Amino acid sequence: MAMIREVARTRGAARERRQGDGRAAALFLAPWFVGLVLVTAFPLVASLYLSFTDYSLLEAPHWIGLENYTAMFADPRFFQALKVTFTYVLVSVPLQLVAALALALVLDKGLRGLAFYRSVYYLPSLLGGSVAIAILWRQVFGADGLVNQVLAFFGVEGVGWVSHPDYALGTLMVLNVWTFGAPMIIFLAGLRQIPAMYYEAASIDGAGRWRRFRSITVPLLTPIIFFNLVLQLIGAFQSFTQAFIVSGGTGGPVDSTLFYTLYLYEKGFSSYQMGYASAMAWFLLLVVAGMTAVNFLASKFWVFYDD
Amino acid sequence: MTDAPARTAPRPSAPARPTLSEVAATYPERRPRRGRTRAAVRRVLRHVALIGFGLVMLYPLLWMLASSFKPTELIFREPGLVPTEWDLGNYTAGWNALLDPFSHYLLNSGIVVLGSVLGNLVSCSMAAYAFARLKFRGRNLWFAVMLMSIMLPIHVIIVPQYILFSSLSWINTFLPLIVPKLLATDAFFVFLMVQFFRGIPKELDEAARLDGCGHGRIYLRIMLPLSLPALATTAIFTFIWTWNDFFSQLIFLTKPDMYTVPIALRTFVDATSNSSWGPLFAMSIVSLIPVFLVFLFGQKYLVKGIATTGIK
Amino acid sequence: MRVTTTRAARRRGVALVGLTTAGALALAACSGDSGAMPSGDDGGDGGNVEIRFAWWGSDDRHQTTQQIIDLFEEKNPGITVVPDYTDWDGYWDKLATATAGGDTPDVITQEERFLSDYASRGVIGDMSGVDTSEIPEDVLSTGEIDGTLVGIPTGVNAYALVADPQIFADAGVEMPDDTTWTWDEYVDVAGKVARGAGDGVWGAQDYGFNEAGLNVLARQKGESLYTADGTLGVSKETVAEFFQTSLDLMANGGQPDASRSVEYQNAGPEGSLLGTNAGAMGVWWSNQLGALSDASGHDLELLRLPGESQFERTGMYFKPAMYYSISARTEHPEESAKFVDFLLNDPEVAALQLTDRGLPANQSVREAILPELTAADQKVADFMAELEPEIVDNPVVPPNGANEIQDIMIRINTEVLFERMTPADAADAFLKDVGAAIGG
């Protein structure tokens, strides 16, 4: 009896293999597909439509064609927002990932109190979006804040880091690096995924720590590094909450922290120009999509998958 | 690179073949006594550095903790780390400040978060399995579409979403916050799990296939158990991000008794009238505790990797 | 490798997936509130009418307002008022989104910078159904656009100078005579206080971040920020003068450096110069006296702004703290009007609310609560009473796009403070940017 069941099952599996995975894919992807159509596609298409309209939110939208886009490319604050955002992304994302990876490596070893350390380093990330962060950041980077107190100890006079147009963006970059907890956890999970056997075999063969790191850890970690890189970049381009809270919603001082999404939000909700904001959003999408595509293409050269 | 060590199962009667670690252990101890003290010193230094760095990282948090014990008027007048007056009043005031005790908002957030975590775990892993392991037409295209869905800022899609949910009469319920999670709209986690699934050796799948397993069983019995770190990561991050998500909760929840923690926290601060910083800090600390605990205990699962769940 | 699964195990697996999905859905569904949906549904039982009331504030105001709502419901069985409150920042986002989705609240709290935007697009409607007999005409007119009353002021504030006598005393400087002092004297006094008080204490907090100050100066010189037809009515010279005062104060040490000024600006009343005992003067709305006094721990005083007697006329004015408006698309106009009437005219409401939404616009209600006010609020009431006869007229309702002025002001003022722009250039930029914002 059992053998007949066994044969039937095997034959079923084989049939599945012959038909390709289409049916299984449909089943597994069903929830995602429903979500895509209902929750994502409709707003996506709607916002594309809105980008060609003048929409105050308080009245119905009316069509104006490409006017939003032409206005955008003539708007100096738009370019300021691009400049601020690109600077922020290109500087703080690599720094944050390096910090995350470094700490993950240190905290991966057999160290006493590991769980405690990991939690401590993760805590800042929990505060990242809190409304209290503006106050806290001022306490640290303000003209009379902690950083300046420490500098004064060494005889250096600090400036008001968080309120000075030349340095305010820097404090936000520090804030981004400070919240490295999320990529750190992902790196930790990735490090744990590497079978210990590889390390053992390598040490038997006489490989030192650095060699092991270079030849086992890094290659096997590349899918995770790639993941963190792609998603931190996408996230950084859309960075909003920290800039909103720390600058009090202004993108100040003098637009030095006018992140792209902050300006977008201002246009959409404060200036009652949701159409313009939608146009900005689609431009952002193109930039981010392009950058992600480049990332994926480049990944063929440095990311190692086992499949 | 050395060959991957043989993955054949050890035979049931154990003692016959020693493991690699046992073999390595038989090698003579190469470190002289002097080196051992040096190693100990290095370890202490490492702890000191980690703690020191940790304190620097935590300074803002410690400041907030200290301020939560100061009466509001003193917070900015005496901004030091140690309060001159210890006052638990902020905690009681903050707890009762709004129309419902703060526990009500913690509970609301808890419901939203729990639903989101469950939703993400189920739907994202399913979608990830399809993208990682199944071959189907247009797979790369759909993957790209999936990634594109997180490239639009929330501020432009919130209005169409609001209109959509309003027509379904879902506004002021938790449905707009939870249902999307059931439908794998968090592309972040789909992508995360795809990366993890791709790291699992395909030989396991094939061996299972030879035993007659279909995709469902491979998914349930091989992929999920071996991706415990990825699942734990998904659960923990969904928890934390949903717990802290302000904007969509603000827009979709209109009645105060449906409010969640982030909205409740914001109502302590108002630029136009007077702000209650003390209670804000106190309740922020209170709302950090569940997240911290989840993280502390969830780490156990993050740590289990292939090495321990084992390839048997 | 052998992966054996029994049929039972497979069923268990599927059941597990199904159960978690069901669980998540159940959580979402059963936690929806039991009350009726806000989009104008009539709660079916016994003609019970539901109206939605939206306001912003912090927790104190929310508690007080809830008490007021309970009171109204007691007196008016059959009408339920659904509260909808947030903080200031989130309020306008939520309101705009709700309006876009057709879910405008019935009774809306408004502010002068947004009133015109909402009125001109037909979101808020005529309020002639409300009894406004006790409200003075010149206060009421601040809620009229093109002759239609679209918002009724809840109460009035004045933009005034708040001074800390204690700091003056410690610095050995006499308190200025606010009935005669000029702008130059203001700069002088601030400098003297800073010198007399020593390190870490200044004379005044920078005033340039709020366009209300500019409006006062403009009105003193016979101009005004906005004209009745919705254009700019202030001259370049006046704007440049306005910014120059800040530079003068930085030059003589009367106010802190640019960075600190920005930080104090962002810190609200509690973290301000006055609030942290780091300065002697600051310009604030009169209803913030209470918060400032609490924060500083001293007895602060309200003074007239400098220059009131320097020119042809005075510039100070009464600003409506906020307005109540009714949605143009409400399904319950009568009940909404009744509620607004209650809010404005019922003495019990005023007794609960005191001056939280400004000094009550309704005169008799204002008289009634005078004895109940806190010390700080008493000062405010007295000050406003003193000021009243000196006020020439009240400004017009700001035009569409006025809410952007604040951001423009902050940006340009910061440029001036960091000396990246001269006052003359700043005036040009201001006129250009504001013109674009209200013209468009």
Side-chain angles (χ1 to χ4, degrees):
Chain A
M1 207 63 268
M3 184 148 67
I4 297 179
R5 248 186 285 147
E6 188 72 39
V7 170
R9 217 182 9 222
T10 325
R11 209 175 285 158
R15 195 186 317 134
E16 202 177 76
R17 248 177 302 136
R18 277 197 305 270
Q19 278 176 348
D21 296 326
R23 244 179 38 195
L27 209 66
F28 275 94
L29 287 178
W32 171 79
F33 196 73
V34 171
L36 186 71
V37 168
L38 281 184
V39 177
T40 314
F42 169 63
L44 220 76
V45 170
S47 70
L48 181 60
Y49 163 70
L50 287 175
S51 73
F52 295 108
T53 67
D54 174 17
Y55 185 38
S56 67
L57 286 180
L58 306 179
E59 289 176 304
H62 66 267
W63 187 268
I64 54 170
L66 286 175
E67 257 179 65
N68 283 327
Y69 290 94
T70 48
M72 211 166 78
F73 289 113
D75 182 358
R77 289 185 83 202
F78 170 75
F79 289 105
Q80 170 69 8
L82 275 178
K83 182 174 116 184
V84 166
T85 311
F86 265 95
T87 316
Y88 174 79
V89 169
L90 293 175
V91 174
S92 66
V93 170
L95 281 178
Q96 187 207 51
L97 289 181
V98 165
L101 184 55
L103 261 303
L105 288 169
V106 169
L107 297 182
D108 184 43
K109 309 264 190 301
L111 200 64
R112 266 208 305 235
L114 216 47
F116 173 72
Y117 283 125
R118 265 189 240 124
S119 315
V120 162
Y121 289 120
Y122 192 74
L123 268 177
S125 309
L126 299 178
L127 272 186
S130 157
V131 65
I133 203 75
I135 308 283
L136 299 178
W137 226 238
R138 216 177 309 136
Q139 284 302 120
V140 176
F141 288 104
D144 301 306
L146 182 70
V147 167
N148 282 349
Q149 284 173 25
V150 169
L151 285 179
F153 187 70
F154 291 104
V156 180
E157 179 156 341
V159 297
W161 307 100
V162 80
S163 45
H164 196 290
D166 295 337
Y167 301 108
L169 185 61
T171 62
L172 285 178
M173 293 195 217
V174 172
L175 183 55
N176 193 31
V177 175
W178 186 61
T179 53
F180 64 72
M184 178 186 82
I185 296 305
I186 297 181
F187 277 134
L188 274 173
L191 283 171
R192 281 287 152 170
Q193 195 104 330
I194 301 175
M197 288 186 264
Y198 290 173
Y199 290 115
E200 287 169 358
S203 5
I204 302 275
D205 281 354
R209 218 176 25 193
W210 176 246
R211 183 74 212 282
R212 285 204 302 267
F213 175 71
R214 220 164 23 101
S215 307
I216 302 181
T217 314
V218 173
L220 289 180
L221 206 54
T222 48
I224 308 300
I225 300 179
F226 176 65
F227 169 79
N228 269 338
L229 182 67
V230 168
L231 284 170
Q232 288 301 319
L233 281 175
I234 294 180
F237 266 104
Q238 296 185 45
S239 215
F240 174 83
T241 315
Q242 280 99 325
F244 182 77
I245 294 176
V246 172
S247 73
T250 59
V254 294
D255 283 355
S256 58
T257 60
L258 187 70
F259 280 46
Y260 194 85
T261 30
L262 189 55
Y263 187 45
L264 188 159
Y265 165 81
E266 196 188 293
K267 277 290 176 183
F269 284 97
S270 294
S271 307
Y272 299 107
Q273 293 175 34
M274 189 47 98
Y276 188 95
S278 305
M280 282 185 71
W282 273 84
F283 182 72
L284 179 69
L285 187 144
L286 289 176
V287 168
V288 173
M291 179 197 61
T292 308
V294 167
N295 258 331
F296 268 88
L297 288 174
S299 76
K300 292 205 212 318
F301 296 103
W302 61 279
V303 181
F304 167 79
Y305 292 109
D306 201 11
D307 50 12
Chain B
M1 210 157 82
T2 56
D3 251 356
R7 285 203 196 82
T8 53
R11 290 186 209 104
S13 48
R17 263 258 201 82
T19 64
L20 287 164
S21 339
E22 281 170 0
V23 170
T26 64
Y27 279 61
E29 179 61 67
R30 268 186 278 135
R31 266 180 279 147
R33 198 167 340 155
R34 213 183 337 119
R36 239 181 289 154
T37 334
R38 213 178 325 141
V41 168
R42 233 193 327 217
R43 232 176 313 143
V44 168
L45 279 179
R46 198 189 306 181
H47 274 279
V48 167
L50 280 176
I51 294 181
F53 189 58
L55 279 176
V56 170
M57 292 269 293
L58 285 187
Y59 175 80
L61 195 62
L62 294 172
W63 187 85
M64 190 167 91
L65 184 64
S67 299
S68 69
F69 291 115
K70 297 182 201 167
T72 303
E73 311 85 64
L74 291 185
I75 292 180
F76 296 106
R77 248 189 281 159
E78 295 172 16
L81 253 193
V82 183
T84 53
E85 268 180 55
W86 288 85
D87 187 2
L88 282 179
N90 287 330
Y91 284 89
T92 45
W95 191 263
N96 296 314
L98 302 172
L99 298 180
D100 294 289
F102 208 75
S103 51
H104 183 90
Y105 306 109
L106 289 170
L107 186 64
N108 281 344
S109 273
I111 296 176
V112 175
V113 159
L114 203 58
S116 302
V117 168
L118 289 176
N120 264 350
L121 282 178
V122 170
S123 63
C124 291
S125 58
M126 280 171 63
Y129 181 71
F131 282 118
R133 282 299 200 248
L134 302 179
K135 292 193 238 326
F136 53 95
R137 234 184 354 191
R139 182 176 73 172
N140 285 336
L141 175 66
W142 287 119
F143 191 74
V145 171
M146 178 198 72
L147 272 190
M148 263 180 61
S149 68
I150 53 173
M151 294 183 197
L152 267 190
I154 180 93
H155 303 105
V156 286
I157 55 178
I158 196 95
V159 174
Q161 274 188 348
Y162 183 91
I163 297 177
L164 171 71
F165 291 130
S166 182
S167 64
L168 292 169
S169 288
W170 282 5
I171 298 296
N172 207 40
T173 66
F174 294 136
L175 288 169
L177 300 169
I178 298 185
V179 171
K181 308 291 184 202
L182 279 168
L183 301 176
T185 49
D186 259 339
F188 181 91
F189 298 113
V190 179
F191 190 18
L192 174 74
M193 292 206 229
V194 165
Q195 296 303 87
F196 272 84
F197 286 172
R198 290 182 78 176
I200 295 176
K202 272 216 168 131
E203 287 88 352
L204 295 178
D205 290 37
E206 282 157 15
R209 211 84 54 89
L210 285 174
D211 281 345
C213 287
H215 284 299
R217 230 168 298 153
I218 298 181
Y219 165 74
L220 278 176
R221 309 290 289 179
I222 303 180
M223 287 290 148
L224 289 187
L226 290 180
S227 313
L228 222 42
L231 292 175
T233 310
T234 302
I236 293 177
F237 282 2
T238 307
F239 188 103
I240 292 169
W241 292 349
T242 314
W243 189 264
N244 286 331
D245 173 28
F246 172 72
F247 200 65
S248 37
Q249 291 171 7
L250 170 78
I251 299 288
F252 293 131
L253 299 172
T254 50
K255 273 206 219 161
D257 62 305
M258 297 292 284
Y259 281 176
T260 51
V261 168
I263 308 178
L265 284 179
R266 283 278 181 109
T267 56
F268 282 112
V269 179
D270 185 54
T272 61
S273 57
N274 53 353
S275 308
S276 314
W277 295 110
L280 168 73
F281 291 151
M283 290 302 107
S284 297
I285 300 279
V286 166
S287 60
L288 271 181
I289 294 177
V291 205
F292 184 62
L293 288 176
V294 161
F295 183 73
L296 202 54
F297 293 121
Q299 283 192 59
K300 182 168 52 156
Y301 299 100
L302 276 179
V303 163
K304 281 195 190 157
I306 284 190
T308 51
T309 56
I311 305 169
K312 297 218 176 61
Chain C
M1 180 170 71
R2 199 154 285 271
V3 176
T4 51
T5 48
T6 61
R7 210 181 302 168
R10 191 171 12 131
R11 258 185 275 137
R12 243 185 292 137
V14 173
L16 193 62
V17 172
L19 214 62
T20 46
T21 314
L25 272 173
L27 273 173
C30 75
S31 50
D33 67 317
S34 47
M37 286 318 302
S39 17
D41 268 356
D42 240 351
D45 52 314
N48 191 34
V49 167
E50 237 186 49
I51 57 175
R52 217 165 101 227
F53 174 39
W55 76 92
W56 69 80
S58 69
D59 51 314
D60 286 336
R61 183 179 297 161
H62 301 325
Q63 283 200 325
T64 315
T65 312
Q66 184 61 47
Q67 289 176 302
I68 293 174
I69 289 179
D70 293 336
L71 196 61
F72 178 77
E73 289 179 343
E74 253 179 63
K75 297 191 177 181
N76 293 278
I79 309 184
T80 316
V81 178
V82 177
D84 184 352
Y85 63 80
T86 43
D87 64 312
W88 167 261
D89 282 322
Y91 181 79
W92 301 102
D93 301 341
K94 201 169 172 189
L95 186 60
T97 311
T99 304
D103 281 341
T104 325
D106 301 283
V107 179
I108 308 171
T109 313
Q110 271 289 351
E111 211 256 2
E112 64 168 10
R113 288 184 228 148
F114 298 85
L115 193 65
S116 183
D117 277 303
Y118 278 81
S120 66
R121 294 184 175 95
V123 181
I124 52 181
D126 187 15
M127 301 199 60
S128 37
V130 180
D131 175 18
T132 56
S133 49
E134 301 263 1
I135 300 179
E137 179 55 43
D138 57 346
V139 171
L140 210 53
S141 68
T142 59
E144 276 172 21
I145 297 184
D146 291 335
T148 321
L149 185 66
V150 290
I152 305 182
T154 62
V156 286
N157 285 331
Y159 195 61
L161 193 122
V162 181
D164 190 336
Q166 175 100 39
I167 307 242
F168 270 95
D170 291 344
V173 179
E174 246 188 68
M175 284 275 284
D177 178 4
D178 68 331
T179 54
T180 59
W181 64 336
T182 64
W183 287 101
D184 287 331
E185 283 166 16
Y186 165 66
V187 174
D188 243 2
V189 160
K192 283 207 192 100
V193 170
R195 276 190 297 275
D199 261 349
V201 179
W202 288 276
Q205 182 164 336
D206 184 82
Y207 77 158
F209 294 104
N210 194 331
E211 77 275 16
L214 176 60
N215 202 5
V216 170
L217 180 64
R219 287 159 52 86
Q220 284 174 351
K221 306 179 104 186
E223 304 166 7
S224 95
L225 191 54
Y226 307 112
T227 64
D229 10 288
T231 54
L232 274 174
V234 64
S235 71
K236 177 179 156 165
E237 290 75 35
T238 309
V239 180
E241 222 180 280
F242 179 74
F243 288 125
Q244 184 61 42
T245 306
S246 298
L247 291 179
D248 293 340
L249 278 166
M250 286 209 296
N252 80 350
Q255 83 177 33
D257 56 274
S259 284
R260 284 198 175 75
S261 290
V262 172
E263 283 172 31
Y264 280 118
Q265 164 67 12
N266 286 334
E270 289 82 12
S272 66
L273 221 58
L274 282 165
T276 55
N277 296 336
M281 297 186 279
V283 195
W284 299 88
W285 293 106
S286 50
N287 70 327
Q288 291 175 304
L289 184 67
L292 287 164
S293 304
D294 284 340
S296 78
H298 297 167
D299 269 326
L300 304 179
E301 296 285 331
L302 279 172
L303 297 177
R304 291 171 183 71
L305 288 177
E308 283 291 276
S309 42
Q310 187 175 345
F311 307 99
E312 299 276 309
R313 47 160 285 173
T314 63
M316 291 180 71
Y317 59 95
F318 281 160
K319 168 195 181 288
M322 55 190 83
Y323 305 82
Y324 293 127
S325 294
I326 299 182
S327 157
R329 305 174 199 145
T330 175
E331 303 201 356
H332 307 289
E334 280 131 33
E335 287 82 359
S336 303
K338 207 168 186 189
F339 184 58
V340 174
D341 200 298
F342 174 77
L343 288 172
L344 287 170
N345 300 322
D346 193 309
E348 285 184 69
V349 171
L352 282 170
Q353 200 165 259
L354 294 179
T355 54
D356 182 45
R357 290 173 189 259
L359 204 62
N362 179 324
Q363 297 287 54
S364 50
V365 154
R366 189 193 298 189
E367 302 277 323
I369 63 166
L370 279 178
E372 319 264 351
L373 299 178
T374 64
D377 287 339
Q378 271 290 357
K379 282 194 199 159
V380 176
D382 294 337
F383 179 74
M384 306 274 272
E386 246 185 76
L387 206 55
E388 182 144 18
E390 299 171 15
I391 293 188
V392 177
D393 55 11
N394 278 327
V396 296
V397 177
N400 276 14
N403 62 315
E404 294 184 59
I405 307 307
Q406 172 100 82
D407 281 343
I408 295 176
M409 200 70 193
I410 292 177
R411 204 178 346 125
I412 296 187
N413 192 49
T414 315
E415 300 256 32
V416 171
L417 290 179
F418 277 100
E419 293 176 39
R420 289 156 49 126
M421 242 193 207
T422 65
D425 289 337
D428 281 329
F430 177 81
L431 291 173
K432 177 161 153 272
D433 287 346
V434 173
I438 61 180

